[in-house]
Amino acid sequence: MTHRSIIHVDMDAFYAQIEQRDNPKLVGKPVIIGGTSSRGVVSTASYEARRYGVYSAMPIEAAKKLCPEGIYLPVNMEKYKKVSSEIYNIFKRYTKIYEPISIDEAFLDVTGKDALEIAKAIKSDIKNELKLTASVGISINKFLAKLASEADKPDGLTIIKKDEILSFLRPLPVNKIWGVGPKMNRELNKLGIYYVRDIQNYDIEVLMSLFGKWGKEIYELAYGIDERPVEPNNLSKSIGEEKTFLKDVCDVNILLKALKNYSINLSNKLKKRGYLARTISIKIKYKDFTIENRSVTLSIPTRDENIIFDTAKYILLNKFNINKEIRLIGLILSNLIYPEDPLQLSMKI
């Protein structure tokens, strides 16, 4: 059986690293990207800022308490996208089979080639041409390659060989397994499962009886089994816009105005790309930072701004408690249909 050779490339503190590259005065300083408003959240924290306990998705207010001397900068997405495009152009030199995961990380399938030499070359190209560093992992599948890239950050290069898989996995905390978030972590802890080795020693039938299909998946991942291919599809899976208000709001008119603006902007993006959207979702973050998402799937996909807004308005007024103060509202269009996809319309008789 021929095993795949998968590389996972993950840029180090991407946004912050770019700002430090472009402004030498920021090198060695705790740089926090996410806006200058106390209402925002951290997008990226430099490694210097992480020593203070600052991490991505943390409220800026909390970050400032931990790191009052930090340098807080707004997100410059146009700049970061340009650099991301340059990184992906480097990937294309070495393989046609690459899967973007986000603006700053990707999987590459280099089966049949010298994965280590390619990984070294990619790191070298990124450093020499873009003056940035990336951490890279190599293994036989996506799950293990990603774990490998996380093992030695920043600027690391780690290989997990086939005969090292079980020993590498055993001591890891169980939340290192894909899909094990805080809630699942607590459920597994109740069963006495704290480390990957605990899953390896558990009865798969019991896990399946408790968690169904997911029980089988976490058992297989605990043994390093992951059959998912690298999918060379860089089309957007969803598009959206969101806004954190300067003050918490509960005025429905303000919320509807935001949704109207999002609908216009997202409709224009769909038209520009030739996409249609089937699912329309609203994300709300309340004053206490709890988040709720509600969605509607249309029988006929659309890119019409009025249909998008009318659906979003219906979701807001019928599926949320808008008597609570709201910190953020977002509109997401997903289940996208691309120009080359066959379009199936539902027929009502």
Side-chain angles (χ1 to χ4, degrees):
M1 178 182 175
T2 303
H3 289 284
R4 297 187 182 111
S5 291
I6 308 298
I7 296 173
H8 181 254
V9 181
D10 189 9
M11 299 302 295
D12 301 317
F14 188 48
Y15 299 175
Q17 190 185 174
I18 292 172
E19 298 297 346
Q20 289 175 320
R21 178 198 70 178
D22 294 349
N23 183 354
K25 292 180 180 179
L26 299 179
V27 175
K29 303 285 180 62
V31 176
I32 297 98
I33 309 297
T36 52
S37 164
S38 62
R39 304 282 298 168
V41 296
V42 176
S43 292
T44 309
S46 70
Y47 285 91
E48 295 84 359
R50 294 180 193 189
R51 296 189 191 115
Y52 291 84
V54 179
Y55 55 85
S56 297
M58 170 183 283
I60 290 289
E61 248 179 4
K64 286 185 174 178
K65 289 177 182 176
L66 292 170
C67 187
E69 303 304 314
I71 299 167
Y72 292 82
L73 300 174
V75 174
N76 187 342
M77 190 54 70
E78 288 307 309
K79 181 201 285 191
Y80 309 149
K81 284 181 178 178
K82 181 177 182 296
V83 177
S84 177
S85 178
E86 293 169 337
I87 292 166
Y88 279 100
N89 284 335
I90 290 174
F91 297 160
K92 293 173 188 176
R93 297 172 191 170
Y94 300 98
T95 180
K96 294 179 181 178
I97 309 174
Y98 62 92
E99 179 182 349
I101 301 302
S102 67
I103 193 171
D104 65 340
E105 64 173 311
F107 290 107
L108 292 75
D109 189 328
V110 295
T111 303
K113 302 176 184 179
D114 190 327
L116 179 57
E117 287 306 308
I118 290 174
K120 288 179 178 177
I122 288 172
K123 282 175 61 68
S124 176
D125 290 352
I126 290 172
K127 185 168 287 187
N128 292 334
E129 297 173 28
L130 305 179
K131 311 303 179 190
L132 299 170
T133 65
S135 294
V136 177
I138 305 170
S139 196
I140 63 171
N141 60 43
K142 290 162 72 171
F143 171 58
L144 294 169
K146 183 166 175 63
L147 285 178
S149 71
E150 294 171 353
D152 184 22
K153 280 184 141 302
D155 200 18
L157 174 55
T158 302
I159 305 173
I160 303 176
K161 298 178 180 176
K162 187 173 181 294
D163 59 359
E164 299 170 342
I165 292 172
L166 293 183
S167 60
F168 183 91
L169 290 172
R170 276 191 200 104
L172 298 179
V174 72
N175 62 9
K176 285 291 184 181
I177 291 181
W178 269 348
V180 177
K183 184 177 179 182
M184 176 61 82
N185 195 45
R186 288 192 295 270
E187 292 301 312
L188 292 171
N189 289 170
K190 290 176 186 176
L191 300 173
I193 297 173
Y194 295 92
Y195 298 95
V196 174
R197 63 171 174 265
D198 298 327
I199 295 180
Q200 292 173 349
N201 296 329
Y202 222 82
D203 187 331
I204 186 174
E205 299 297 332
V206 175
L207 290 173
M208 289 178 66
S209 69
L210 292 170
F211 305 114
K213 180 184 175 184
W214 178 225
K216 181 174 184 286
E217 289 181 8
I218 61 173
Y219 186 84
E220 289 180 345
L221 288 172
Y223 278 91
I225 299 169
D226 177 17
E227 300 298 334
R228 293 167 305 155
V230 173
E231 299 182 65
N233 178 4
N234 55 10
L235 294 172
S236 303
K237 292 186 172 71
S238 65
I239 60 172
E241 291 193 4
E242 63 181 41
K243 173 185 177 181
T244 299
F245 298 110
L246 293 176
K247 293 182 179 180
D248 297 325
V249 302
C250 56
D251 184 338
V252 70
N253 292 315
I254 295 174
L255 301 175
L256 289 173
K257 183 179 179 182
L259 292 176
K260 182 66 174 177
N261 290 332
Y262 299 160
S263 299
I264 294 169
N265 295 340
L266 294 176
S267 171
N268 289 334
K269 288 182 181 179
L270 290 176
K271 291 171 184 174
K272 183 177 178 181
R273 301 177 191 181
Y275 297 174
L276 295 167
R278 192 183 291 277
T279 300
I280 297 171
S281 307
I282 290 181
K283 168 187 172 183
I284 282 181
K285 182 184 288 185
Y286 294 103
K287 182 179 181 179
D288 62 2
F289 284 89
T290 58
I291 296 174
E292 290 185 358
N293 293 275
R294 301 285 186 271
S295 64
V296 164
T297 296
L298 305 172
S299 58
I300 300 176
T302 189
R303 62 171 71 100
D304 183 282
E305 67 185 63
N306 294 314
I307 295 175
I308 294 170
F309 174 66
D310 288 345
T311 307
K313 180 178 179 180
Y314 168 80
I315 296 170
L316 178 69
L317 298 180
N318 292 278
K319 294 178 176 284
F320 284 99
N321 175 12
I322 50 176
N323 294 318
K324 294 168 64 177
E325 287 187 286
I326 292 169
R327 180 183 179 87
L328 171 151
I329 189 166
L331 178 61
I332 304 99
L333 308 182
S334 59
N335 204 353
L336 300 183
I337 295 172
Y338 308 111
E340 67 274 16
D341 290 345
L343 181 61
Q344 293 184 344
L345 302 180
S346 61
M347 296 178 63
K348 297 182 179 179
I349 300 174

